[in-house]
Amino acid sequence: MTSGGRPSGPAPSGGPQRRGKDGERTRVWRERVEAAAAAATARTRAGARRIGQTPPPPGPFRPGFWRSPIRGPWLTSVFGLVLLVGIPLLFVTGLLSYASYNPGLSPHNDETPDKGVLGFYLFSWPTHPYWLYRLNQGVHVTLGVILVPVLLAKLWSVIPKLFEWLPVRSVAHGLERLSLLMLVGGVIFEFVTGILNIQLYYVFPGSFYRLHFYGAWVFIAAFVVHVCLRLGRMTRALRSRGLGAELRTDLAHTLPEPPDPDGLVAAAPAPPTMTRRGAVGMVGAGSLLLLVVTAGQSIGGRLRGTALLAPHNRDPGEGPNGFQINKTAAAVGVLPEFVGPDWRLEIHGRGPVRTFTREQLLTMPQHTAALPIACVEGWSTDDQHWSGLRLADLAAMAGMPGAGSVLVESLQPPGPFTRVVLGGNQIHDPRALLALRVNGADLSLDHGYPARTIVPANPGVNNTKWVHRLTFRA
């Protein structure tokens, strides 16, 4: 024995020798793995070369298919610059439109309850200025319509990119193609659903609000990525040609742009049949025409007669109730017998429920307010002169003079917006009324007889018609 307590004698047989054999096996295994990886890489590269040498199918995948001599980075960038200004404005006004419904107040106001973090920006919608929603929605809808020719021209200018061959050449190229798909698909989806909604033509499944809201976020994400990737190229392309000089170029001097790395310039251009000046002018004229036949529904006055594309441009009739509505009483199932002599307004708050006939409401102090009706489809009326009871006075009757909200319930059969919650700032605005009359006459049934709410800067659909119950809350 040694002094350390270990047995003396030779080392166990096979120690160093075993470690040497293990090392040899590891080295051999590593070499085999490296050889297999190299072989796989070589096969992959050979396969990629074979795929890359695959000729494109006939038709739009072949470079010679696209022959317009005016297509190129400059023209694409001109249309892109317009969209770079217009689309962010369209997105912001859309977000504000959603905020105007006050979805944070109550599930009754929220058509997109599963929005999650996408509702981070929501705020209490103001009542000043009283035309705020009318302006916001008019800009949103009108801008969306007049950008359609620019969008179509932009898609035409880059259509060769949609038919690149090979469709996917690498992982990075695949990601770029995916972002392009999201961009093009998103913008088409948003414009199509928006225009269908303007025309009250609901052929898409599910709620328009939800589809349009989520589609907007998907599209704007792809749009931001696209701008970050392409802004430098767009700037260089715009600087490559002077706008004034290009607009003075006639057909005889219209030549293709130099070849570009994106493949927008035709490989075998045909003789020009239109100048770039003509293309820009045609798109601009199309947008101007759409402005003329759309904006009148929001601006009102004499221009209302020019709003040929507005679904509400029909003659609303004459007299005090002769202004636009979204849906008639019959269309939503409100029958005359619902609002007959047995109708009562219920006011809930602190203490017992109070009920009133319409005649009793008319004997109370009446107040007036000149306010428009503005709807999500972009149409709006001129200021109408409403009269009735202030919501603040009704809150005081309910024993809640400092009410923080009120649930407004309609006689309309259950559905979206038949129950709406108004915020404290809306209740206490002196122009916020439970209206009984308009323009000196009783409300018509289509305009909400026997009573409706009218609140400054409020979306039309939240100015509930055929009201039968108000529940004030702290």
Side-chain angles (χ1 to χ4, degrees):
M1 297 289 290
T2 63
S3 60
R6 293 180 181 174
S8 60
S13 64
Q17 293 87 345
R18 181 178 298 277
R19 287 194 295 272
K21 292 180 179 179
D22 290 343
E24 179 65 19
R25 282 196 294 268
T26 300
R27 184 183 61 79
V28 173
W29 177 81
R30 186 185 300 114
E31 289 176 351
R32 290 177 178 176
V33 169
E34 291 174 352
T41 300
R43 287 194 298 270
T44 300
R45 289 175 178 172
R49 284 195 296 271
R50 287 194 298 271
I51 294 173
Q53 293 168 358
T54 303
F61 289 97
R62 296 197 173 181
F65 183 86
W66 307 104
R67 303 191 62 199
S68 172
I70 64 173
R71 184 183 279 117
W74 183 85
L75 190 60
T76 295
S77 298
V78 170
F79 298 138
L81 181 61
V82 177
L83 295 176
L84 183 61
V85 175
I87 283 180
L89 181 57
L90 201 61
F91 179 69
V92 169
T93 52
L95 292 184
L96 292 176
S97 177
Y98 179 64
S100 68
Y101 287 82
N102 274 330
L105 276 178
S106 166
H108 298 303
N109 297 24
D110 194 357
E111 288 297 296
T112 313
D114 47 356
K115 60 186 175 299
V117 297
L118 298 182
F120 71 93
Y121 71 96
L122 295 176
F123 56 95
S124 181
W125 188 250
T127 57
H128 297 272
Y130 74 91
W131 40 258
L132 176 61
Y133 182 75
R134 183 183 186 188
L135 173 65
N136 183 84
Q137 205 60 22
V139 169
H140 182 72
V141 170
T142 304
L143 180 61
V145 171
I146 66 176
L147 283 180
V148 168
V150 185
L151 173 65
L152 294 177
K154 177 67 159 59
L155 292 176
W156 170 86
S157 72
V158 298
I159 197 169
K161 291 288 292 180
L162 303 180
F163 292 92
E164 277 188 346
W165 189 261
L166 294 162
V168 178
R169 294 191 292 267
S170 65
V171 173
H173 185 251
L175 292 175
E176 180 186 359
R177 299 287 288 174
L178 179 61
S179 68
L180 185 63
L181 176 64
M182 292 175 60
L183 180 71
V184 175
V187 73
I188 292 175
F189 178 83
E190 285 299 287
F191 274 75
V192 169
T193 55
I195 290 172
L196 290 177
N197 179 69
I198 294 170
Q199 297 299 323
L200 302 177
Y201 190 57
Y202 300 108
V203 295
F204 35 79
S207 165
F208 160 76
Y209 298 92
R210 189 171 300 183
L211 293 172
H212 206 63
F213 181 79
Y214 291 136
W217 280 105
V218 171
F219 165 66
I220 202 66
F223 179 79
V224 170
V225 171
H226 183 74
V227 169
C228 291
L229 294 175
R230 299 290 177 173
L231 185 59
R233 294 186 185 182
M234 185 185 80
T235 302
R236 289 191 295 271
L238 290 173
R239 290 175 176 173
S240 67
R241 290 169 176 257
L243 178 62
E246 196 63 46
L247 295 182
R248 291 191 299 269
T249 302
D250 59 18
L251 187 63
H253 295 88
T254 297
L255 301 174
E257 295 185 49
D260 67 300
D262 291 323
L264 297 179
V265 178
T273 57
M274 176 183 287
T275 63
R276 294 180 182 86
R277 172 182 62 193
V280 172
M282 182 176 64
V283 172
S287 291
L288 180 61
L289 177 62
L290 289 176
L291 174 65
V292 170
V293 298
T294 302
Q297 67 170 340
S298 302
I299 297 173
R302 294 182 178 180
L303 289 178
R304 193 174 301 279
T306 67
L308 303 179
L309 294 186
H312 302 280
N313 193 44
R314 58 183 180 272
D315 184 3
E318 297 181 354
N321 282 272
F323 56 95
Q324 285 83 351
I325 57 173
N326 200 339
K327 295 181 180 179
T328 64
V332 298
V334 175
L335 305 177
E337 52 264 33
F338 293 178
V339 296
D342 294 334
W343 175 86
R344 297 291 185 273
L345 174 69
E346 298 178 10
I347 300 181
H348 297 249
R350 289 196 179 97
V353 177
R354 304 189 66 178
T355 60
F356 300 92
T357 65
R358 192 172 189 277
E359 289 70 24
Q360 289 174 322
L361 295 174
L362 286 169
T363 63
M364 299 177 185
Q366 304 291 298
H367 300 272
T368 61
L371 299 172
I373 292 288
C375 278
V376 68
E377 295 90 1
W379 68 267
S380 59
T381 72
D382 296 326
D383 290 353
Q384 308 298 320
H385 295 272
W386 309 87
S387 63
L389 284 75
R390 285 176 173 163
L391 294 181
D393 294 341
L394 294 173
M397 289 183 192
M400 303 190 69
S405 67
V406 59
L407 172 63
V408 183
E409 299 180 74
S410 173
L411 288 168
Q412 181 180 339
F417 305 110
T418 59
R419 306 172 79 193
V420 168
V421 173
L422 301 176
N425 66 318
Q426 295 173 311
I427 294 171
H428 299 292
D429 190 298
R431 296 164 296 179
L433 304 177
L434 179 71
L436 305 174
R437 294 167 61 83
V438 63
N439 298 323
D442 288 343
L443 295 169
S444 68
L445 183 60
D446 287 341
H447 278 299
Y449 179 90
R452 68 171 298 164
T453 54
I454 184 74
V455 177
N458 207 30
V461 73
N462 277 7
N463 288 321
T464 308
K465 297 191 284 188
W466 313 294
V467 175
H468 81 102
R469 183 181 295 120
L470 299 172
T471 304
F472 291 93
R473 300 166 177 171

